[in-house]
Amino acid sequence: MPSSLPTPPTYEQLHGTACIVCGGPGDDLTPAGHAYTPNGPGEIHHGWAVRRHPVCRRPEEDQ
């Protein structure tokens, strides 16, 4: 489930130690696809394998 995040994610979210949806830590984080961040205006986007709590959902998943 690729996603471009509307707000800048934290270091912890990008490195899989915090939920990509709510930002909270946890031992129960599961794979949640990838988030993409630009390295500058008009430049290459970097992909990050992100994680989430099983109960957290991204807004686009509710559609």
PDB file of all heavy atoms in Angstrom, residues 1 19-22 32 52-63:
ATOM      1  N   MET A   1       0.819  -1.166   0.000  1.00  0.00           N
ATOM      2  CA  MET A   1       0.000   0.000   0.000  1.00  0.00           C
ATOM      3  C   MET A   1       0.873   1.243   0.000  1.00  0.00           C
ATOM      4  O   MET A   1       1.129   1.831   1.026  1.00  0.00           O
ATOM      5  CB  MET A   1      -0.956  -0.053   1.178  1.00  0.00           C
ATOM      6  CG  MET A   1      -0.378   0.346   2.497  1.00  0.00           C
ATOM      7  SD  MET A   1      -1.492   0.120   3.869  1.00  0.00           S
ATOM      8  CE  MET A   1      -1.651  -1.637   3.871  1.00  0.00           C
ATOM      9  N   CYS A  19       4.326   3.806  15.065  1.00  0.00           N
ATOM     10  CA  CYS A  19       3.230   3.600  14.118  1.00  0.00           C
ATOM     11  C   CYS A  19       3.178   4.744  13.106  1.00  0.00           C
ATOM     12  O   CYS A  19       3.213   5.913  13.477  1.00  0.00           O
ATOM     13  CB  CYS A  19       1.914   3.510  14.896  1.00  0.00           C
ATOM     14  SG  CYS A  19       0.449   3.351  13.856  1.00  0.00           S
ATOM     15  N   ILE A  20       3.078   4.414  11.821  1.00  0.00           N
ATOM     16  CA  ILE A  20       3.025   5.424  10.776  1.00  0.00           C
ATOM     17  C   ILE A  20       1.706   6.185  10.808  1.00  0.00           C
ATOM     18  O   ILE A  20       1.612   7.309  10.325  1.00  0.00           O
ATOM     19  CB  ILE A  20       3.289   4.807   9.377  1.00  0.00           C
ATOM     20  CG1 ILE A  20       3.571   5.893   8.345  1.00  0.00           C
ATOM     21  CG2 ILE A  20       2.147   3.898   8.962  1.00  0.00           C
ATOM     22  CD1 ILE A  20       4.812   6.712   8.605  1.00  0.00           C
ATOM     23  N   VAL A  21       0.668   5.618  11.413  1.00  0.00           N
ATOM     24  CA  VAL A  21      -0.644   6.267  11.463  1.00  0.00           C
ATOM     25  C   VAL A  21      -0.776   7.178  12.675  1.00  0.00           C
ATOM     26  O   VAL A  21      -1.053   8.360  12.551  1.00  0.00           O
ATOM     27  CB  VAL A  21      -1.785   5.228  11.444  1.00  0.00           C
ATOM     28  CG1 VAL A  21      -3.145   5.898  11.503  1.00  0.00           C
ATOM     29  CG2 VAL A  21      -1.679   4.338  10.214  1.00  0.00           C
ATOM     30  N   CYS A  22      -0.558   6.635  13.883  1.00  0.00           N
ATOM     31  CA  CYS A  22      -0.792   7.417  15.108  1.00  0.00           C
ATOM     32  C   CYS A  22       0.497   7.952  15.726  1.00  0.00           C
ATOM     33  O   CYS A  22       0.449   8.830  16.575  1.00  0.00           O
ATOM     34  CB  CYS A  22      -1.559   6.585  16.133  1.00  0.00           C
ATOM     35  SG  CYS A  22      -0.578   5.307  16.967  1.00  0.00           S
ATOM     36  N   ALA A  32       3.172  -2.043   7.137  1.00  0.00           N
ATOM     37  CA  ALA A  32       2.098  -1.181   6.628  1.00  0.00           C
ATOM     38  C   ALA A  32       2.429  -0.593   5.261  1.00  0.00           C
ATOM     39  O   ALA A  32       1.989   0.486   4.916  1.00  0.00           O
ATOM     40  CB  ALA A  32       1.824  -0.066   7.623  1.00  0.00           C
ATOM     41  N   ARG A  52       2.664  -0.219  11.484  1.00  0.00           N
ATOM     42  CA  ARG A  52       1.526   0.373  12.189  1.00  0.00           C
ATOM     43  C   ARG A  52       0.981  -0.602  13.218  1.00  0.00           C
ATOM     44  O   ARG A  52       1.253  -1.798  13.163  1.00  0.00           O
ATOM     45  CB  ARG A  52       0.421   0.755  11.225  1.00  0.00           C
ATOM     46  CG  ARG A  52      -0.245  -0.482  10.621  1.00  0.00           C
ATOM     47  CD  ARG A  52      -1.467  -0.109   9.863  1.00  0.00           C
ATOM     48  NE  ARG A  52      -2.027  -1.325   9.287  1.00  0.00           N
ATOM     49  CZ  ARG A  52      -2.794  -1.356   8.246  1.00  0.00           C
ATOM     50  NH1 ARG A  52      -3.107  -0.250   7.625  1.00  0.00           N
ATOM     51  NH2 ARG A  52      -3.262  -2.487   7.808  1.00  0.00           N
ATOM     52  N   HIS A  53       0.188  -0.066  14.154  1.00  0.00           N
ATOM     53  CA  HIS A  53      -0.539  -0.922  15.087  1.00  0.00           C
ATOM     54  C   HIS A  53      -1.632  -1.646  14.307  1.00  0.00           C
ATOM     55  O   HIS A  53      -2.191  -1.077  13.365  1.00  0.00           O
ATOM     56  CB  HIS A  53      -1.193  -0.086  16.194  1.00  0.00           C
ATOM     57  CG  HIS A  53      -0.217   0.606  17.075  1.00  0.00           C
ATOM     58  ND1 HIS A  53      -0.073   1.984  17.088  1.00  0.00           N
ATOM     59  CD2 HIS A  53       0.667   0.120  17.983  1.00  0.00           C
ATOM     60  CE1 HIS A  53       0.858   2.300  17.972  1.00  0.00           C
ATOM     61  NE2 HIS A  53       1.331   1.206  18.515  1.00  0.00           N
ATOM     62  N   PRO A  54      -1.988  -2.865  14.688  1.00  0.00           N
ATOM     63  CA  PRO A  54      -3.036  -3.590  13.970  1.00  0.00           C
ATOM     64  C   PRO A  54      -4.377  -2.843  13.917  1.00  0.00           C
ATOM     65  O   PRO A  54      -5.133  -3.007  12.964  1.00  0.00           O
ATOM     66  CB  PRO A  54      -3.166  -4.894  14.749  1.00  0.00           C
ATOM     67  CG  PRO A  54      -1.834  -5.082  15.397  1.00  0.00           C
ATOM     68  CD  PRO A  54      -1.356  -3.681  15.719  1.00  0.00           C
ATOM     69  N   VAL A  55      -4.678  -2.013  14.908  1.00  0.00           N
ATOM     70  CA  VAL A  55      -5.965  -1.307  14.934  1.00  0.00           C
ATOM     71  C   VAL A  55      -5.930   0.037  14.212  1.00  0.00           C
ATOM     72  O   VAL A  55      -6.974   0.631  13.976  1.00  0.00           O
ATOM     73  CB  VAL A  55      -6.463  -1.091  16.388  1.00  0.00           C
ATOM     74  CG1 VAL A  55      -6.707  -2.427  17.065  1.00  0.00           C
ATOM     75  CG2 VAL A  55      -5.474  -0.262  17.176  1.00  0.00           C
ATOM     76  N   CYS A  56      -4.759   0.539  13.875  1.00  0.00           N
ATOM     77  CA  CYS A  56      -4.652   1.833  13.188  1.00  0.00           C
ATOM     78  C   CYS A  56      -4.814   1.645  11.691  1.00  0.00           C
ATOM     79  O   CYS A  56      -4.228   0.746  11.101  1.00  0.00           O
ATOM     80  CB  CYS A  56      -3.296   2.484  13.481  1.00  0.00           C
ATOM     81  SG  CYS A  56      -3.103   3.044  15.173  1.00  0.00           S
ATOM     82  N   ARG A  57      -5.593   2.520  11.095  1.00  0.00           N
ATOM     83  CA  ARG A  57      -5.817   2.465   9.659  1.00  0.00           C
ATOM     84  C   ARG A  57      -5.584   3.848   9.072  1.00  0.00           C
ATOM     85  O   ARG A  57      -5.900   4.849   9.694  1.00  0.00           O
ATOM     86  CB  ARG A  57      -7.232   2.003   9.349  1.00  0.00           C
ATOM     87  CG  ARG A  57      -7.516   0.610   9.866  1.00  0.00           C
ATOM     88  CD  ARG A  57      -8.922   0.166   9.560  1.00  0.00           C
ATOM     89  NE  ARG A  57      -9.180  -0.006   8.137  1.00  0.00           N
ATOM     90  CZ  ARG A  57      -8.834  -1.068   7.413  1.00  0.00           C
ATOM     91  NH1 ARG A  57      -8.167  -2.042   7.973  1.00  0.00           N
ATOM     92  NH2 ARG A  57      -9.136  -1.145   6.139  1.00  0.00           N
ATOM     93  N   ARG A  58      -5.096   3.866   7.872  1.00  0.00           N
ATOM     94  CA  ARG A  58      -4.937   5.131   7.156  1.00  0.00           C
ATOM     95  C   ARG A  58      -6.281   5.529   6.569  1.00  0.00           C
ATOM     96  O   ARG A  58      -7.086   4.660   6.227  1.00  0.00           O
ATOM     97  CB  ARG A  58      -3.916   4.982   6.025  1.00  0.00           C
ATOM     98  CG  ARG A  58      -2.527   4.734   6.529  1.00  0.00           C
ATOM     99  CD  ARG A  58      -1.582   4.648   5.346  1.00  0.00           C
ATOM    100  NE  ARG A  58      -0.236   4.392   5.832  1.00  0.00           N
ATOM    101  CZ  ARG A  58       0.727   3.986   5.041  1.00  0.00           C
ATOM    102  NH1 ARG A  58       0.514   3.781   3.774  1.00  0.00           N
ATOM    103  NH2 ARG A  58       1.920   3.783   5.528  1.00  0.00           N
ATOM    104  N   PRO A  59      -6.547   6.827   6.415  1.00  0.00           N
ATOM    105  CA  PRO A  59      -7.832   7.260   5.867  1.00  0.00           C
ATOM    106  C   PRO A  59      -8.181   6.631   4.518  1.00  0.00           C
ATOM    107  O   PRO A  59      -9.324   6.274   4.284  1.00  0.00           O
ATOM    108  CB  PRO A  59      -7.677   8.777   5.728  1.00  0.00           C
ATOM    109  CG  PRO A  59      -6.646   9.127   6.748  1.00  0.00           C
ATOM    110  CD  PRO A  59      -5.708   7.935   6.815  1.00  0.00           C
ATOM    111  N   GLU A  60      -7.201   6.435   3.646  1.00  0.00           N
ATOM    112  CA  GLU A  60      -7.495   5.855   2.321  1.00  0.00           C
ATOM    113  C   GLU A  60      -7.910   4.387   2.418  1.00  0.00           C
ATOM    114  O   GLU A  60      -8.513   3.857   1.508  1.00  0.00           O
ATOM    115  CB  GLU A  60      -6.313   6.036   1.362  1.00  0.00           C
ATOM    116  CG  GLU A  60      -5.065   5.279   1.731  1.00  0.00           C
ATOM    117  CD  GLU A  60      -4.056   6.094   2.529  1.00  0.00           C
ATOM    118  OE1 GLU A  60      -4.418   7.121   3.125  1.00  0.00           O
ATOM    119  OE2 GLU A  60      -2.882   5.684   2.543  1.00  0.00           O
ATOM    120  N   GLU A  61      -7.625   3.726   3.519  1.00  0.00           N
ATOM    121  CA  GLU A  61      -8.018   2.329   3.690  1.00  0.00           C
ATOM    122  C   GLU A  61      -9.488   2.198   4.086  1.00  0.00           C
ATOM    123  O   GLU A  61     -10.077   1.136   3.962  1.00  0.00           O
ATOM    124  CB  GLU A  61      -7.166   1.662   4.756  1.00  0.00           C
ATOM    125  CG  GLU A  61      -5.724   1.512   4.345  1.00  0.00           C
ATOM    126  CD  GLU A  61      -4.869   0.923   5.442  1.00  0.00           C
ATOM    127  OE1 GLU A  61      -5.016   1.327   6.602  1.00  0.00           O
ATOM    128  OE2 GLU A  61      -4.065   0.046   5.106  1.00  0.00           O
ATOM    129  N   ASP A  62     -10.095   3.274   4.568  1.00  0.00           N
ATOM    130  CA  ASP A  62     -11.492   3.253   4.981  1.00  0.00           C
ATOM    131  C   ASP A  62     -12.450   3.463   3.826  1.00  0.00           C
ATOM    132  O   ASP A  62     -13.644   3.391   3.987  1.00  0.00           O
ATOM    133  CB  ASP A  62     -11.753   4.301   6.065  1.00  0.00           C
ATOM    134  CG  ASP A  62     -11.063   3.941   7.371  1.00  0.00           C
ATOM    135  OD1 ASP A  62     -10.856   2.730   7.625  1.00  0.00           O
ATOM    136  OD2 ASP A  62     -10.728   4.858   8.136  1.00  0.00           O
ATOM    137  N   GLN A  63     -11.932   3.742   2.642  1.00  0.00           N
ATOM    138  CA  GLN A  63     -12.802   4.004   1.489  1.00  0.00           C
ATOM    139  C   GLN A  63     -13.255   2.723   0.847  1.00  0.00           C
ATOM    140  O   GLN A  63     -12.712   1.706   0.930  1.00  0.00           O
ATOM    141  CB  GLN A  63     -12.071   4.856   0.474  1.00  0.00           C
ATOM    142  CG  GLN A  63     -11.726   6.204   1.055  1.00  0.00           C
ATOM    143  CD  GLN A  63     -10.904   7.051   0.092  1.00  0.00           C
ATOM    144  OE1 GLN A  63     -10.622   6.653  -1.027  1.00  0.00           O
ATOM    145  NE2 GLN A  63     -10.538   8.230   0.526  1.00  0.00           N
TER     146      GLN A  63
END
